[in-house]
Amino acid sequence: TDRWRARYRGPDGRERSRTFDRRVDADPWLAAVSFAIARGEWTDPARARVTLGDWSRQWLTGKAPSLKATTRESYRSILKTCIWPTGERVPLAAVTHSDVAAWVARLSAQMGGSRCRKSAILLGGTMSAAVRDQRISRNPCDGVSLPGFPIIASVS
């Protein structure tokens, strides 16, 4: 069968491509990539493949020198007990707004509102850092409602 290869050159000058079974799938994908590049919202797909576990470890290591020991331990505990069990091996690019909302709902049913909010705020902070590092174009935590609060804030 025929396959369609959509190619584009990223802002870094490297050519990238993706193969599709149908041209009607390739054309809109290529148009969306071109639009993201034109708006300055494009991110290198390889950088977004890092897992949430690896990224959050890197984020915490970079943040650790500026944190009090108790805060650092609190963040480690939240990552270990609340975030990594469901998201450690998930690529950053695969985390969606609806995934985060469902995760917050599950957490709020399992634990107190305070721990759930702290967990969601910490996840929001790690994802904000991923946006700043140009690993993802948007923070999937933005706009997620938390128990007792209207939307997620993030730890930067």
Side-chain angles (χ1 to χ4, degrees):
T1 63
D2 287 338
R3 308 250 313 150
W4 294 91
R5 178 173 287 175
R7 297 180 207 196
Y8 69 96
R9 193 166 296 281
D12 58 1
R14 289 183 49 216
E15 184 178 281
R16 291 173 177 79
S17 66
R18 183 169 165 190
T19 305
F20 295 86
D21 290 330
R22 305 176 322 155
R23 183 174 182 171
V24 295
D25 298 325
D27 288 342
W29 178 83
L30 189 56
V33 169
S34 299
F35 185 70
I37 291 170
R39 290 182 51 104
E41 296 173 353
W42 178 85
T43 56
D44 183 346
R47 291 179 55 78
R49 281 188 210 114
V50 68
T51 64
L52 179 55
D54 289 343
W55 174 249
S56 57
R57 283 180 188 87
Q58 183 179 337
W59 173 83
L60 186 58
T61 299
K63 195 140 186 70
S66 65
L67 299 174
K68 290 182 185 176
T70 54
T71 302
R72 190 170 45 252
E73 285 311 309
S74 173
Y75 285 3
R76 273 198 189 102
S77 172
I78 289 169
L79 287 167
K80 196 174 192 180
T81 61
C82 301
I83 296 173
W84 290 342
T86 55
E88 184 172 20
R89 294 190 175 137
V90 176
L92 292 177
V95 180
T96 65
H97 178 83
S98 59
D99 292 336
V100 175
W103 172 75
V104 167
R106 281 192 312 274
L107 275 186
S108 69
Q110 296 170 354
M111 61 186 60
S114 175
R115 179 87 170 168
C116 177
R117 281 190 301 277
K118 287 177 184 177
S119 300
I121 289 168
L122 183 62
L123 178 61
T126 61
M127 296 306 252
S128 287
V131 171
R132 286 191 303 276
D133 201 49
Q134 297 180 329
R135 291 183 178 274
I136 53 176
S137 59
R138 281 185 221 109
N139 186 336
C141 300
D142 287 349
V144 172
S145 294
L146 299 178
F149 289 94
I151 58 169
I152 280 186
S154 60
V155 176
S156 296

